Structure formats: structure tokens, C-alpha cells
Amino acid sequence: MIRKIFLAVILATIGTVAANAQFEKGKWYVNGSLTGLDLSYSKRSDLSFGFEGTAGYMFAKDWMVTGSIGIDCSDSRCNSIYVGAKCRYYIEQNGLYLAFGAKMLHEYKSINDFELTPEVGYCFFLNKNVTIEPSVYYDMSLGHFADYSKVGLKVGLGIFF
């Protein structure tokens, strides 16, 4: 296990060498992600996963604004959809990014919720334009904190152009 983690860190460090040019002003970005990955926890479900599509624009060096749309599935059915926006800051030296935003969630039981969404992730560049992006996020519900707030893991495939 330690060897796998060490190898991943070495590969990630190598991948960030080519990444610096992608964080320039004017770059566009698209991403498809698998979210939840059975690691999130909330009172409303035991098993949770989802799909998210994201598009973004680098409005300044190392700063990106993104918009997302997604669907969450739990208990063997897809029962909620959401739209959101975030601002990301990329740390060029190591490929990490910090993001903060908000999203509006609608669940099939006619429940609407507003959530704050901090996230920490990593950009592992496969080539000049394509990334694999694992991240950890927290969806903090403002309407039903105990029932809908959750922590999860997301893995996405991103393209910079």
C-alpha cells in the first residue's frame, strides 16, 4: 500500500511539470466526473454516487470559474439533480486546486436545498490537455444541515483547451 502511494506521488509530481502552461488566462475547460463513489455519508442514504458535467474558463492566471450540472443516485434510483458554480484556484507548484462555490439541489420528494461546496483536488496531467482529477468535497446543506450535508470523493476526466 505504501509503495502504491509513493508511486502515485512520484507520477503526480512528474505530471505537474507539463501542467503549468494550462493555468494561463483564457483557457477553457470541460470535465465529466463520477461523484460520491460510495464514500459519502449523510442521513438520507447509505449508498450514493452521481454524475457531474462541468465547464470552466480561466479568467486570470491560476483562477477558474466553473459551472456544473449533475445527478445524484442513491438507494438504487437517481433521485436528485443540481446546478452549481465554483471558483477554483490552482497551485501550480504541485497541481493541487482549491475550490469554493454553491449549488441548488432538487430532490424527487419536492425538496429544494441550497448548499455550499468547498473542494480540494489534484490535476494529474496525462498529456498537455487531458487530466485525471480526484478530489474530496463537502456539500454543506444550509436548509437541512444534518440530513443533507455530506462528504464525498469525486474522480473526473478533464480537458483544457
Side-chain angles (χ1 to χ4, degrees):
M1 180 69 175
I2 299 296
R3 289 183 194 180
K4 289 181 183 179
I5 293 172
F6 183 69
L7 181 59
V9 169
I10 289 173
L11 289 174
T13 303
I14 293 169
T16 58
V17 173
N20 292 340
Q22 297 307 327
F23 303 131
E24 298 294 326
K25 180 180 178 179
K27 296 284 185 175
W28 289 92
Y29 167 83
V30 292
N31 178 305
S33 297
L34 180 61
T35 65
L37 299 180
D38 198 20
L39 297 174
S40 63
Y41 171 80
S42 70
K43 281 188 170 181
R44 68 179 170 180
S45 66
D46 295 328
L47 168 65
S48 177
F49 69 94
F51 305 97
E52 179 178 278
T54 303
Y57 179 73
M58 299 289 287
F59 65 90
K61 184 175 177 10
D62 300 330
W63 288 93
M64 178 188 291
V65 63
T66 64
S68 301
I69 187 165
I71 185 167
D72 284 331
C73 304
S74 60
D75 302 327
S76 74
R77 66 175 171 226
C78 295
N79 55 7
S80 63
I81 59 172
Y82 60 87
V83 295
K86 288 185 181 174
C87 188
R88 283 187 181 184
Y89 175 73
Y90 289 92
I91 303 170
E92 287 187 36
Q93 293 82 359
N94 56 22
L96 289 174
Y97 68 84
L98 308 171
F100 188 80
K103 70 180 179 181
M104 188 66 166
L105 175 102
H106 175 74
E107 193 166 305
Y108 75 97
K109 297 177 185 175
S110 298
I111 295 172
N112 295 311
D113 192 24
F114 185 76
E115 299 177 339
L116 298 179
T117 58
E119 181 178 345
V120 176
Y122 181 78
C123 288
F124 178 74
F125 277 81
L126 299 176
N127 63 28
K128 283 180 22 178
N129 297 357
V130 179
T131 61
I132 294 177
E133 299 180 2
S135 66
V136 176
Y137 63 89
Y138 179 63
D139 290 340
M140 184 176 71
S141 172
L142 296 181
H144 308 282
F145 184 79
D147 295 333
Y148 290 145
S149 296
K150 66 180 180 178
V151 174
L153 177 66
K154 179 178 0 181
V155 176
L157 183 66
I159 301 172
F160 287 83
F161 53 96

